Amino acid sequence: MAIAMRPMSFVRGWAFVYCLAAAVTSLLHTGAAFAQAREPLELVQTIALPDVRGRIDHLDIDLDGERLFVAALGNNTVEVIDLRAGQRSARLEHLQEPQGVAYAPEGKRLFVASGQGGRVDVFAGAPLAAAGHVDGLEDADNVRYEKSSGRVYVGYGSALAAIEAAATLKLVAQIKLAGHPESFQLASGDSRIFVNVPNAKQIAVVDRNKQSVLATWSLGDTEANLPMALDEPDHRLFVATRQPAALLVYDTEAGKRVANLPIGSDADDLFFDAERKRIYVICGQGVIDVVQQRGADHYQRVARVPSAPGARTGLWVAARKTLYVAVPTRGTSPAEIRVYAVR
């Protein structure tokens, strides 16, 4: 029985088609992987903030209650967002330039620092209602809650104040600095607080037990150090400056700068994602710079994610794998919170 043989050109033709298809598939996979690597943040939700005018400052979260607190400085309000419903659920009014907010979950109390008011207001209950205040804190700004001590730390004037978060609201410490403090971070493994003091062009290292400044670190040829984040396991402190726009990395044991790389302009918040070894820098020019930590002393910007002009504050919530970015009103566009999921 005769067996029909396929022409060699036919076989070679199909082989070429197969190889071409395999190459295209490989390119598609490579392209998809490359695109994914370039997009570490995905905008998944936008929450409107109707009737909010002016600058928006810092944010905090009630994880159990799924509420986001937004200091709407220019509106003299704190906006309370129900994250389940994806909309505003309440508003705290008659504040005077609220700048910083900190939620203490143990007592279910919200602390609001008002710059023009020169005080910290405390709210509690459901719905939130005024529960007390602490006066005498000129230009009260950033706020941090420390669970281990039950204290709230507030940057104000040219000092840090420590307040008991309990009902007494006792002012237990005032630590003098060389200028007005901006962002500060509390170490959990020891008693240090790292403080940005831009007017003095320095980073102050404070001992909260001794209530004194241990050291100051120079900014070198940079100025306007506002936001800060801490990588405690690797002993690294991240500081963003505006003049020039740069991300500085300090060794917290040696007090020396180990890295410096350019970032977007007008940064006011930055956060360290410990799980992914990333730094998210929220820049008012309208971008979020994503910087990858390749090693303790080696960093690379891996993405520049568009946001909106003037959006320079936000909140990284590791438990939700989410970055919240506050966008102020722009012309006819209302203020909003943009919700980014990490990828």
Side-chain angles (χ1 to χ4, degrees):
M1 181 176 65
I3 300 176
M5 301 293 293
R6 293 182 183 273
M8 187 61 65
S9 60
F10 178 84
V11 173
R12 282 198 291 263
W14 272 106
F16 173 77
V17 170
Y18 176 81
C19 291
L20 180 62
V24 169
T25 301
S26 177
L27 284 171
L28 288 173
H29 284 302
T30 302
F34 180 74
Q36 186 174 12
R38 287 180 59 106
E39 297 296 336
L41 295 173
E42 179 185 3
L43 180 62
V44 295
Q45 186 182 22
T46 299
I47 303 172
L49 294 176
D51 305 319
V52 171
R53 304 293 178 189
R55 178 180 151 197
I56 299 176
D57 222 336
H58 300 294
L59 292 69
D60 204 4
I61 193 168
D62 167 14
L63 278 173
D64 292 338
E66 296 190 71
R67 295 179 296 176
L68 187 70
F69 306 108
V70 182
L73 181 150
N75 207 54
N76 291 320
T77 61
V78 168
E79 307 295 304
V80 183
I81 297 174
D82 182 335
L83 294 174
R84 296 188 192 95
Q87 63 184 20
R88 183 177 63 197
S89 60
R91 167 180 280 179
L92 305 177
E93 299 183 290
H94 310 302
L95 300 167
Q96 295 178 286
E97 291 189 354
Q99 300 190 88
V101 289
Y103 184 72
E106 288 75 24
K108 298 184 178 180
R109 294 155 73 84
L110 178 68
F111 294 78
V112 180
S114 294
Q116 188 177 13
R119 59 191 266 173
V120 171
D121 288 284
V122 185
F123 299 87
L128 288 170
H133 63 270
V134 179
D135 289 313
L137 302 175
E138 177 189 3
D139 195 15
D141 196 344
N142 283 270
V143 190
R144 302 285 184 269
Y145 171 64
E146 184 182 38
K147 179 180 178 180
S148 60
S149 67
R151 291 180 175 180
V152 171
Y153 287 84
V154 183
Y156 76 101
S158 295
L160 286 180
I163 302 168
E164 289 184 349
T168 59
L169 297 178
K170 182 181 179 181
L171 184 63
V172 293
Q174 292 174 287
I175 306 167
K176 298 299 182 183
L177 301 167
H180 180 72
E182 288 292 336
S183 182
F184 59 92
Q185 298 296 323
L186 284 71
S188 61
D190 55 49
S191 60
R192 290 179 297 173
I193 307 175
F194 303 97
V195 189
N196 272 334
V197 189
N199 293 343
K201 300 181 181 180
Q202 65 181 216
I203 299 164
V205 184
V206 170
D207 187 314
R208 55 188 182 271
N209 291 339
K210 296 179 180 178
Q211 300 181 22
S212 62
V213 176
L214 297 174
T216 57
W217 299 340
S218 171
L219 294 177
D221 55 355
T222 63
E223 298 181 27
N225 50 320
L226 277 77
M228 173 189 285
L230 180 63
D231 170 14
E232 214 164 348
D234 291 318
H235 310 290
R236 292 297 179 264
L237 184 74
F238 310 115
V239 172
T241 61
R242 295 184 181 177
Q243 299 173 11
L247 177 67
L248 312 181
V249 183
Y250 286 80
D251 180 332
T252 59
E253 298 304 296
K256 302 295 183 181
R257 191 166 76 187
V258 297
N260 179 347
L261 65 156
I263 55 172
S265 63
D266 197 27
D268 206 29
D269 262 334
L270 72 85
F271 304 95
F272 181 59
D273 178 351
E275 181 181 347
R276 295 160 191 81
K277 297 293 184 180
R278 291 179 188 161
I279 303 159
Y280 306 119
V281 189
I282 305 176
C283 306
Q285 79 172 64
V287 298
I288 307 163
D289 276 349
V290 182
V291 176
Q292 188 69 50
Q293 185 185 58
R294 303 295 188 190
D297 298 340
H298 301 285
Y299 300 83
Q300 178 187 10
R301 193 185 76 194
V302 294
R304 172 162 283 181
V305 180
S307 55
R312 60 183 190 174
T313 57
L315 183 69
W316 164 245
V317 182
R320 297 176 71 94
K321 299 181 180 180
T322 300
L323 179 68
Y324 299 94
V325 175
V327 179
T329 184
R330 311 168 315 284
T332 58
S333 300
E336 61 191 22
I337 299 296
R338 294 191 180 180
V339 183
Y340 294 85
V342 297
R343 296 176 58 181

